[in-house]
Amino acid sequence: MNIKETHRNRFEIIKDLPRHINVCEIGVLTGVFSQFILDTVAPEKLTLIDPWFFNESGGDSTNASQHIQDGRYSQILKTFDKEIKSGAVEVIRKKSSCISEIFTDSSFDFMYIDGSHSYHDVKKDLENCFNKTKVGGAIGVDDYHPNWIGVYRAVQDFIQEKGGDISIEFYSGVGGGSSPNIFFKVLNK
């Protein structure tokens, strides 16, 4: 599959999103990208989903002890305290699969996936995000690169399955101060 590469990183691409939209970020970690989205897009609502749990079976480089994960979660609550109280930010401490039960279809204008990097989890996140994103909305995926084989294969399979229902808007390769990302626009359902 041939995908045209841009040299814009995810931060530059986020700057092009419309303001005051409904945004969901899956995989928040310490909230650096969440804060950037909040400051740049000024979303109507920003939903942050992360389980902040220690994965005993391993995982990626962000896996840490439960004590550290609890600290990350506490820091998120402090960082976004004002926005949480105003209803502008919602923090959900659950696995990303919860979106299929919590949100109605077509709830979000933009969804960003940077959670588990396993093939199964990324594929499920893509399917759920496709259902929860409005037609005309977009989905972004972090770490789309063969070095992250689970992410890479899940995205490749998703592209094959959805075909004309999505269009690939941007692929930012390695470099530019950001990991590789791919962004899709939802065309049909």
Side-chain angles (χ1 to χ4, degrees), residues 4 18 25 69 71 94 111 127 142 153 180 188:
K4 185 179 177 196
E25 181 184 14
Q69 296 285 20
K94 292 184 177 185
M111 299 188 80
E127 291 166 4
D142 190 46
R153 282 187 44 237
N188 305 303

mmCIF file of all heavy atoms in Angstrom, residues 4 18 25 69 71 94 111 127 142 153 180 188:
data_model
loop_
_atom_site.group_PDB
_atom_site.id
_atom_site.type_symbol
_atom_site.label_atom_id
_atom_site.label_comp_id
_atom_site.label_asym_id
_atom_site.label_seq_id
_atom_site.Cartn_x
_atom_site.Cartn_y
_atom_site.Cartn_z
ATOM 1 N N LYS A 4 1.043 8.510 0.755
ATOM 2 C CA LYS A 4 1.857 9.722 0.607
ATOM 3 C C LYS A 4 2.227 10.271 1.984
ATOM 4 O O LYS A 4 1.391 10.412 2.867
ATOM 5 C CB LYS A 4 1.084 10.770 -0.185
ATOM 6 C CG LYS A 4 1.915 11.991 -0.479
ATOM 7 C CD LYS A 4 1.153 13.008 -1.275
ATOM 8 C CE LYS A 4 2.016 14.225 -1.473
ATOM 9 N NZ LYS A 4 1.259 15.367 -1.885
ATOM 10 N N PRO A 18 -10.784 22.126 13.251
ATOM 11 C CA PRO A 18 -11.687 23.218 13.627
ATOM 12 C C PRO A 18 -11.733 23.365 15.148
ATOM 13 O O PRO A 18 -11.459 22.421 15.885
ATOM 14 C CB PRO A 18 -13.044 22.772 13.089
ATOM 15 C CG PRO A 18 -12.840 21.487 12.393
ATOM 16 C CD PRO A 18 -11.452 21.021 12.611
ATOM 17 N N GLU A 25 -9.398 11.453 23.245
ATOM 18 C CA GLU A 25 -8.032 10.935 23.177
ATOM 19 C C GLU A 25 -7.968 9.633 23.952
ATOM 20 O O GLU A 25 -8.312 9.584 25.135
ATOM 21 C CB GLU A 25 -7.026 11.937 23.761
ATOM 22 C CG GLU A 25 -5.601 11.420 23.675
ATOM 23 C CD GLU A 25 -4.578 12.329 24.334
ATOM 24 O OE1 GLU A 25 -4.958 13.237 25.101
ATOM 25 O OE2 GLU A 25 -3.384 12.118 24.085
ATOM 26 N N GLN A 69 1.504 4.734 37.858
ATOM 27 C CA GLN A 69 0.276 4.942 37.075
ATOM 28 C C GLN A 69 -0.748 5.742 37.883
ATOM 29 O O GLN A 69 -1.406 6.646 37.354
ATOM 30 C CB GLN A 69 -0.321 3.599 36.633
ATOM 31 C CG GLN A 69 0.567 2.806 35.697
ATOM 32 C CD GLN A 69 0.598 3.365 34.284
ATOM 33 O OE1 GLN A 69 0.271 4.512 34.017
ATOM 34 N NE2 GLN A 69 1.016 2.532 33.350
ATOM 35 N N GLY A 71 -0.072 7.864 40.184
ATOM 36 C CA GLY A 71 0.442 9.226 40.226
ATOM 37 C C GLY A 71 0.150 9.987 38.939
ATOM 38 O O GLY A 71 -0.205 11.172 38.976
ATOM 39 N N LYS A 94 -10.617 3.902 32.394
ATOM 40 C CA LYS A 94 -11.021 2.565 31.954
ATOM 41 C C LYS A 94 -10.248 2.223 30.691
ATOM 42 O O LYS A 94 -9.677 3.097 30.051
ATOM 43 C CB LYS A 94 -12.521 2.524 31.625
ATOM 44 C CG LYS A 94 -13.422 2.680 32.817
ATOM 45 C CD LYS A 94 -14.873 2.526 32.396
ATOM 46 C CE LYS A 94 -15.764 2.626 33.627
ATOM 47 N NZ LYS A 94 -17.161 2.367 33.297
ATOM 48 N N MET A 111 -11.019 11.740 16.948
ATOM 49 C CA MET A 111 -10.565 10.774 17.953
ATOM 50 C C MET A 111 -9.101 10.464 17.667
ATOM 51 O O MET A 111 -8.708 10.299 16.510
ATOM 52 C CB MET A 111 -11.413 9.501 17.902
ATOM 53 C CG MET A 111 -12.880 9.774 18.205
ATOM 54 S SD MET A 111 -13.869 8.260 18.378
ATOM 55 C CE MET A 111 -13.433 7.794 20.071
ATOM 56 N N GLU A 127 -11.958 0.166 15.096
ATOM 57 C CA GLU A 127 -13.355 -0.165 14.806
ATOM 58 C C GLU A 127 -14.301 0.667 15.670
ATOM 59 O O GLU A 127 -15.290 1.218 15.172
ATOM 60 C CB GLU A 127 -13.591 -1.658 15.024
ATOM 61 C CG GLU A 127 -12.884 -2.524 13.998
ATOM 62 C CD GLU A 127 -12.818 -3.992 14.380
ATOM 63 O OE1 GLU A 127 -13.385 -4.399 15.417
ATOM 64 O OE2 GLU A 127 -12.186 -4.750 13.617
ATOM 65 N N ASP A 142 -1.347 7.137 16.561
ATOM 66 C CA ASP A 142 0.064 7.365 16.859
ATOM 67 C C ASP A 142 0.872 6.093 16.591
ATOM 68 O O ASP A 142 0.341 4.987 16.630
ATOM 69 C CB ASP A 142 0.224 7.766 18.328
ATOM 70 C CG ASP A 142 1.620 8.260 18.650
ATOM 71 O OD1 ASP A 142 2.159 9.075 17.870
ATOM 72 O OD2 ASP A 142 2.175 7.834 19.671
ATOM 73 N N ARG A 153 0.173 -3.212 11.555
ATOM 74 C CA ARG A 153 -0.679 -4.233 10.930
ATOM 75 C C ARG A 153 -2.158 -3.934 11.128
ATOM 76 O O ARG A 153 -2.975 -4.125 10.220
ATOM 77 C CB ARG A 153 -0.334 -5.613 11.488
ATOM 78 C CG ARG A 153 0.933 -6.196 10.897
ATOM 79 C CD ARG A 153 1.210 -7.630 11.321
ATOM 80 N NE ARG A 153 0.033 -8.475 11.280
ATOM 81 C CZ ARG A 153 -0.440 -9.171 12.337
ATOM 82 N NH1 ARG A 153 0.164 -9.101 13.498
ATOM 83 N NH2 ARG A 153 -1.503 -9.924 12.219
ATOM 84 N N PRO A 180 5.614 8.729 14.288
ATOM 85 C CA PRO A 180 4.811 8.691 13.064
ATOM 86 C C PRO A 180 3.319 8.545 13.363
ATOM 87 O O PRO A 180 2.931 7.809 14.264
ATOM 88 C CB PRO A 180 5.357 7.483 12.311
ATOM 89 C CG PRO A 180 6.027 6.655 13.341
ATOM 90 C CD PRO A 180 6.492 7.581 14.413
ATOM 91 N N ASN A 188 -18.044 7.573 4.967
ATOM 92 C CA ASN A 188 -19.341 6.870 4.953
ATOM 93 C C ASN A 188 -19.417 5.922 6.127
ATOM 94 O O ASN A 188 -18.412 5.527 6.669
ATOM 95 C CB ASN A 188 -19.504 6.022 3.691
ATOM 96 C CG ASN A 188 -19.323 6.789 2.425
ATOM 97 O OD1 ASN A 188 -20.017 7.762 2.212
ATOM 98 N ND2 ASN A 188 -18.387 6.352 1.591
#
